[in-house]
């Protein structure tokens, strides 16, 4: 049920001259500033010129003519025509719909709308999976679920940072100072230590830099020893990453790092750019000129090795050929904005008109004490340690509130991990996020545990009074009406979250709905034995269903009890 659509259809049926479509009318409908002015309002200014009447007169005439079974009354408020819906009828229809559709409520009716490729997470191998990788991982994972809810097929790709000059440096460091047993026993910390040592030693020994470049040239050329070491580093890193992905509940359809495009795909990119006369020499390197608006895009270094841009060009073409996507999203930090502008512009110059379907989805930073987290100088917070700490703290909080809870370890895992994810996703993605574990895990306020606890509370009510919701008569009170209006909005919020690539739309919605239900719980005796009990139970079921689905779209699980 879409109350805006109901209102716009009713309006269209009485407008004498149909110069607007139902959709155009619907977009103009807004919520009145004051609740006592009605549920929805239509501004009549746009009709004044066409009807040659004042907006106030139009509002009066429309209010007199409007007639719909779901509208209780219509009235003119200045230049606005406002409507009050029949609470009992609307709630009856809405609750029946949600109880029937269950977690399918809010899904777009048109499925098979095409494939959406989502490039996200993308950690660098041989480096720790830090809190800095959290944002891309959880935003991308949530967008995949939101895209599917909107009728698309999501293709989730982990574009690992597993290629480039840094691996020549790492091989050089291992050859000079590495120990096989140490790498096997403590992989990523050991490789990181070697990488840091390389840079420290190179300050006094510049020949190491040249040695690193040579090893990367050997790697790109398919040298057996270079490939063997690189594969070993990569496989050991992936084992460590998989632990974190398992904790977060994140999976991928393809793990295709930069190395996937080495060889023929990148050679074809260079050749096509040559054939189209787009490659230009610049200080020994090869670039594509961008015109005045952007700096040149570097395609090959002076030593002939490739760069991020070359590999991203190859990746984009491969993905279009492989998946024939309708959209390809790159969930990558805002600092890479220029890079993607260049890549997209080069694809356009190459004649690929689908370049318009590529979208960089940027986001802000995670801050610790107001400062950017960094792998340099030890300023790093490991994501696995954060998740372990969140689970431990969640268990402590749960044991204080419910010491006899069955399956407390699993509940603590769902609450702890969910708290970390929710804390990130409730923030608009372009904003920076301050890391604060205590704030994440509180059961009050705008947090994941607060929403999860609301679901558990609803489950407890429903457990006490099992019902099939066969006779839903609807509810006419003002307190339940606030919840009905929120429930009715959910399908539109799902659409808005996808269209803006903004999971925070869903996170903030779940908080508003949880707050409304907890207010209702405090004011109304849900299990009171009267004619409306069945409808109140249906409302409770609808709220828990929609909240669970909202959290699922964020990649968060909902414990049955807490």
């Amino acid at each position: 049920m879409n109350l805006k659509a109901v209102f716009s259809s009713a309006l269209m049926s009485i407008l004498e001259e149909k110069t607007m479509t139902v959709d155009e009318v619907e977009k103009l409908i807004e919520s009145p500033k004051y609740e006592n002015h009605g549920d929805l309002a239509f501004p009549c200014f746009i009709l004044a010129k066409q009807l040659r009447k004042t907006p106030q007169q139009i509002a009066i005439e429309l209010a007199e003519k409007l007639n719909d079974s779901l509208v209780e009354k219509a009235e003119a408020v200045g230049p606005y025509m406002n409507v009050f819906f029949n609470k009992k009828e609307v709630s009856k229809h809405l609750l029946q719909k949600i109880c029937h559709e269950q977690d399918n409520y809010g899904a777009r009716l048109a499925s098979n709308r095409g494939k959406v490729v989502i490039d996200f997470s993308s950690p660098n191998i041989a480096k720790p999976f830090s809190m800095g990788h959290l944002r891309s991982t959880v935003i991308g994972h949530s967008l995949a679920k939101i895209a599917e809810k909107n009728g698309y097929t999501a293709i989730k790709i982990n574009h690992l940072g597993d290629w480039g000059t840094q691996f020549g440096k790492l091989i050089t460091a291992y050859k000079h100072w590495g120990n096989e047993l140490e790498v096997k026993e403590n992989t990523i910390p050991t490789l990181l230590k070697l990488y840091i040592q390389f840079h420290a030693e190179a300050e006094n020994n510049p020949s190491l830099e040249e040695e690193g470049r040579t090893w990367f040239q050997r790697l790109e050329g398919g040298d057996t020893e270079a490939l063997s070491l690189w594969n070993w580093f990569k496989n050991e890193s992936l084992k460590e990453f998989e632990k974190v992905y398992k904790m977060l509940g994140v999976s991928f359809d393809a793990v295709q790092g930069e190395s996937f495009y080495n060889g023929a795909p990148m050679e074809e990119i260079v050749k096509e750019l040559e054939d189209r006369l787009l490659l230009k020499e610049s200080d020994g390197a090869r670039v594509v000129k961008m015109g005045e608006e952007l700096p040149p895009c570097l395609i090959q270094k002076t030593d002939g090795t490739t760069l991020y841009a070359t590999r991203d060009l190859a990746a984009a073409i491969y993905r279009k050929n492989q998946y024939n996507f309708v959209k390809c999203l790159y969930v990558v930090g805002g600092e890479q904005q220029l890079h993607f502008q260049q890549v997209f512009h080069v694809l356009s110059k190459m004649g690929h008109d689908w370049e318009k379907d590529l979208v960089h989805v940027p986001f802000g930073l995670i801050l610790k004490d107001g400062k950017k987290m960094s792998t340099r100088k030890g300023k790093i917070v490991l994501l696995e340690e954060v998740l372990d700490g969140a689970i431990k703290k969640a268990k402590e909080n749960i044991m204080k509130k419910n010491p006899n809870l069955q399956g407390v370890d699993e509940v603590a895992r769902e609450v702890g991990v969910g708290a970390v994810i929710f804390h990130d996703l409730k923030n608009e993605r372009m904003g920076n996020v301050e890391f604060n574990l205590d704030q994440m895990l509180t059961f009050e306020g705008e947090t994941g545990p607060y929403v999860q606890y609301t679901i558990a509370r609803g489950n407890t009510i429903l457990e006490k009074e099992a019902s099939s919701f066969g006779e839903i008569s609807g509810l006419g009170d003002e307190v339940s009406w606030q919840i009905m209006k929120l429930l009715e909005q959910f399908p539109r919020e799902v659409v808005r979250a996808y269209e803006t690539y903004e999971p925070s739309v869903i996170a903030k919605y779940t908080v508003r709905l949880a707050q409304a239900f907890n207010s209702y719980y405090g004011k109304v005796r849900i299990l009171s034995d009267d004619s409306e009990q069945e409808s109140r139970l249906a409302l409770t079921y609808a709220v828990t269903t929609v909240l669970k689905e909202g959290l699922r779209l964020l990649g968060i699980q909902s414990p049955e009890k807490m």
Side-chain angles (χ1 to χ4, degrees):
M1 173 176 289
N2 181 336
L3 292 182
K4 283 190 174 183
V6 169
F7 186 18
S8 59
S9 295
L11 266 174
M12 287 294 291
S13 68
I14 59 172
L15 285 174
E16 294 170 3
E17 296 182 43
K18 309 259 190 322
T19 58
M20 290 189 290
T21 65
V22 175
D23 287 343
E24 288 171 336
V25 171
E26 189 176 327
K27 286 176 183 175
L28 291 170
I29 292 171
E30 55 192 74
S31 297
K33 188 175 181 180
Y34 303 104
E35 285 189 6
N36 63 348
H37 282 178
D39 298 311
L40 292 174
F42 176 74
C44 297
F45 310 99
I46 195 167
L47 299 172
K49 185 176 180 181
Q50 175 194 346
L51 300 181
R52 298 181 181 179
K53 297 176 184 177
T54 66
Q56 291 85 349
Q57 183 60 36
I58 295 169
I60 292 168
E61 291 178 6
L62 290 178
E64 289 173 350
K65 294 178 184 177
L66 194 76
N67 181 30
D68 189 279
S69 62
L70 294 178
V71 174
E72 190 170 273
K73 68 172 180 175
E75 63 181 25
V77 180
Y80 289 87
M81 197 271 275
N82 295 8
V83 293
F84 296 77
F85 286 100
N86 184 317
K87 297 180 180 62
K88 206 161 180 76
E89 279 300 305
V90 168
S91 63
K92 176 183 175 181
H93 286 287
L94 183 59
L95 292 175
Q96 286 176 339
K97 181 179 177 64
I98 298 173
C99 290
H100 172 69
E101 295 183 3
Q102 300 178 5
D103 54 8
N104 285 323
Y105 177 64
R108 291 284 277 270
L109 293 176
S111 57
N112 301 319
R113 306 179 77 203
K115 294 174 182 174
V116 175
V117 169
I118 306 176
D119 174 330
F120 68 101
S121 193
S122 311
N124 294 316
I125 68 168
K127 290 186 180 179
F129 202 127
S130 71
M131 277 295 289
H133 297 101
L134 177 69
R135 300 219 69 194
S136 174
T137 304
V138 299
I139 292 170
H141 190 228
S142 177
L143 286 177
K145 292 181 179 295
I146 291 168
E148 288 167 348
K149 187 81 171 176
N150 276 274
Y152 298 96
T153 299
I155 309 293
K156 299 172 290 181
I157 295 180
N158 194 354
H159 188 73
L160 292 172
D162 64 355
W163 206 247
T165 308
Q166 67 267 35
F167 295 103
K169 295 177 180 179
L170 185 59
I171 292 171
T172 301
Y174 179 76
K175 295 287 286 184
H176 279 278
W177 313 292
N179 178 286
E180 183 178 349
L181 186 61
E182 193 179 355
V183 172
K184 284 181 177 178
E185 289 180 348
N186 202 18
T187 305
I188 290 182
T190 302
L191 293 176
L192 179 63
K193 185 177 74 174
L194 287 170
Y195 189 70
I196 292 170
Q197 185 176 354
F198 175 91
H199 286 282
E201 297 281 349
E203 287 183 13
N204 300 316
N205 184 3
S207 67
L208 284 171
E209 291 282 358
E210 183 58 37
E211 194 176 338
R213 283 192 289 271
T214 300
W215 270 109
F216 181 55
Q217 281 179 296
R218 289 175 65 177
L219 184 61
E220 278 212 312
D223 178 84
T224 304
E225 185 182 6
L227 281 171
S228 176
L229 286 170
W230 171 80
N231 268 312
W232 179 40
F233 298 157
K234 178 178 177 178
N235 291 335
E236 292 299 318
S237 297
L238 285 173
K239 290 176 190 174
E240 296 300 309
F241 294 162
E242 193 52 40
K243 293 179 189 175
V244 179
Y245 289 133
K246 188 174 181 180
M247 294 176 80
L248 290 170
V250 171
S251 62
F252 298 92
D253 298 296
V255 178
Q256 294 167 339
E258 295 176 65
S259 64
F260 181 80
Y261 306 99
N262 187 42
M266 284 192 278
E267 290 166 7
E268 288 167 10
I269 289 293
V270 174
K271 185 176 186 307
E272 186 175 349
L273 290 170
E274 287 174 337
D275 292 345
R276 291 179 179 273
L277 305 178
L278 292 171
L279 268 188
K280 308 295 180 185
E281 294 288 329
S282 177
D283 298 325
R286 305 178 85 187
V287 303
V288 174
K289 297 288 181 68
M290 297 280 102
E292 295 181 3
E293 65 272 19
L294 293 170
C297 182
L298 190 55
I299 301 298
Q300 274 186 318
K301 294 188 199 177
T302 53
D303 61 7
T305 54
T306 57
L307 294 101
Y308 292 123
T310 329
R311 298 188 279 276
D312 274 338
L313 289 168
I317 291 171
Y318 172 85
R319 290 168 186 174
K320 184 62 179 177
N321 291 337
Q322 182 74 8
Y323 303 113
N324 192 28
F325 55 73
V326 294
K327 278 277 186 291
C328 180
L329 311 182
Y330 295 82
V331 186
V332 183
E335 66 274 12
Q336 294 296 318
Q337 182 176 353
L338 174 60
H339 167 76
F340 285 109
Q341 285 177 333
Q342 290 179 311
V343 169
F344 298 168
H345 196 59
V346 172
L347 286 166
S348 178
K349 279 176 165 285
M350 293 169 76
H352 298 300
D353 59 356
W354 46 263
E355 167 270 335
K356 66 184 184 303
D357 301 321
L358 306 178
V359 182
H360 175 211
V361 180
F363 51 84
L365 302 169
I366 289 187
L367 306 177
K368 184 80 167 71
D369 302 321
K371 297 178 182 177
K372 179 181 177 181
M373 292 181 178
S374 171
T375 52
R376 296 176 185 176
K377 301 178 183 177
K379 292 179 181 178
I380 186 169
V381 178
L382 297 179
L383 182 51
E384 187 176 358
E385 291 180 3
V386 170
L387 295 174
D388 282 335
I391 293 167
K392 182 181 177 183
K393 197 166 185 63
K395 185 174 180 179
E396 291 171 1
N397 289 350
I398 292 165
M399 292 302 286
K400 288 176 187 174
K401 289 179 173 286
N402 190 355
N404 299 316
L405 181 66
Q406 295 292 311
V408 66
D409 289 330
E410 179 61 17
V411 173
R413 184 191 65 77
E414 293 178 355
V415 172
V417 173
V420 174
I421 296 172
F422 194 92
H423 182 73
D424 187 298
L425 296 183
K426 75 176 182 181
N427 294 279
E428 292 182 7
R429 59 178 164 78
M430 284 309 296
N432 295 331
V433 178
E434 181 68 32
F435 172 70
N436 185 320
L437 196 57
D438 289 332
Q439 192 180 77
M440 291 177 191
L441 285 162
T442 179
F443 280 69
E444 290 80 36
E446 299 179 1
T447 67
Y450 174 74
V451 178
Q452 288 171 319
Y453 182 72
T454 306
I455 295 168
R457 168 176 272 177
N459 288 336
T460 300
I461 295 167
L462 294 167
E463 192 177 68
K464 288 179 181 177
E465 188 67 43
S467 176
S468 59
F469 316 119
E471 294 294 329
I472 299 172
S473 59
L475 297 165
D477 62 284
E478 194 60 43
V479 187
S480 68
W481 183 239
Q482 301 309 311
I483 296 175
M484 295 301 168
K485 288 197 286 188
L486 283 168
L487 290 171
E488 182 268 336
Q489 289 171 15
F490 181 61
R492 293 196 297 282
E493 296 292 75
V494 169
V495 173
R496 188 162 72 93
Y498 176 73
E499 290 179 345
T500 58
Y501 310 119
E502 189 65 84
S504 68
V505 168
I506 301 296
K508 290 175 181 176
Y509 171 85
T510 62
V511 169
R512 293 197 302 274
L513 182 57
Q515 289 170 338
F517 180 75
N518 285 318
S519 174
Y520 180 76
Y521 179 86
K523 295 174 181 176
V524 176
R525 187 174 169 80
I526 296 173
L527 294 176
S528 179
D529 189 10
D530 58 27
S531 61
E532 290 189 336
Q533 187 194 68
E534 194 80 357
S535 294
R536 290 192 298 271
L537 287 169
L539 178 146
T540 304
Y541 176 80
V543 168
T544 55
T545 298
V546 171
L547 286 178
K548 281 175 71 174
E549 181 62 4
L551 290 187
R552 187 192 70 80
L553 293 175
L554 301 175
I556 298 171
Q557 293 176 290
S558 307
E560 288 296 311
K561 295 183 180 180
M562 281 176 69

